[in-house]
């Protein structure tokens, strides 16, 4: 069946080889320690949601009354995508913006990505919101 053939290359929702290729590219093209150092500037937590360990960044704004915002990455992706936009979003005044635009960010790593755990195998589709 065509559908099954297309699925053969998938491993837990990821195209086979994508993770290995990403490691190779990231390891050679980017300074991973520099990325880690940037992420480590922010408060990081793990919590358990519906039995899955979820990693998240919580970046507090220096602006009183900043609007709370959950910012999630897509598939495939990670919170690393947000490194360049976090500071301007939480402290727009320091980046030429208005205080009223300030956000307080919570950026989770989706299950199976980054430092979050994997969801249980066979999990019903309607329960995959986390």
């Amino acid at each position: 069946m065509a559908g099954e053939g297309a699925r053969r290359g998938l491993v837990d929702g990821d195209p086979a080889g994508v993770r290995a290729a990403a490691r190779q590219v990231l390891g050679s093209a980017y300074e991973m320690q520099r990325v880690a150092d940037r992420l480590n500037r922010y408060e990081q937590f793990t919590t358990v949601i519906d039995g899955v360990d979820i990693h998240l960044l919580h970046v507090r704004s220096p602006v009183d009354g900043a609007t709370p915002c959950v910012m999630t990455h897509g598939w495939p992706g990670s919170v690393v995508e947000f490194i360049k936009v976090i500071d301007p979003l939480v402290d727009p005044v320091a980046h030429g913006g208005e205080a009223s635009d300030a956000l307080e960010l919570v950026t989770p790593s989706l299950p199976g990505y980054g430092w979050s755990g994997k969801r249980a195998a066979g999990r019903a589709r309607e329960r995959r919101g986390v």
Side-chain angles (χ1 to χ4, degrees):
M1 296 181 153
E4 288 183 34
R7 288 185 215 198
R8 234 180 314 177
L10 296 176
V11 177
D12 190 33
D14 294 339
V18 167
R19 289 182 188 176
R23 270 190 234 104
Q24 183 179 12
V25 169
L26 290 173
S28 63
Y30 298 98
E31 295 178 37
M32 290 310 292
Q33 187 58 53
R34 191 175 64 160
V35 171
D37 290 345
R38 289 277 312 266
L39 280 177
N40 287 333
R41 291 179 30 215
Y42 307 116
E43 286 185 284
Q44 298 180 52
F45 302 91
T46 56
T47 189
V48 178
I49 299 176
D50 203 17
V52 179
D53 290 331
I54 301 294
H55 165 265
L56 60 99
L57 302 176
H58 181 196
V59 187
R60 300 171 197 274
S61 176
V63 178
D64 286 336
T67 303
C69 178
V70 175
M71 189 165 61
T72 60
H73 60 82
W75 176 91
S78 78
V79 296
V80 173
E81 298 171 25
F82 304 135
I83 286 178
K84 291 182 180 178
V85 299
I86 290 174
D87 290 339
L89 290 174
V90 298
D91 192 2
V93 174
H95 295 86
E98 303 290 326
S100 60
D101 294 330
L103 300 175
E104 181 150 328
L105 296 175
V106 173
T107 61
S109 295
L110 297 179
Y113 295 91
W115 298 272
S116 287
K118 294 172 74 173
R119 63 178 180 266
R123 188 177 172 116
R125 205 176 272 281
E126 61 274 3
R127 299 209 31 147
R128 289 188 185 170
V130 241

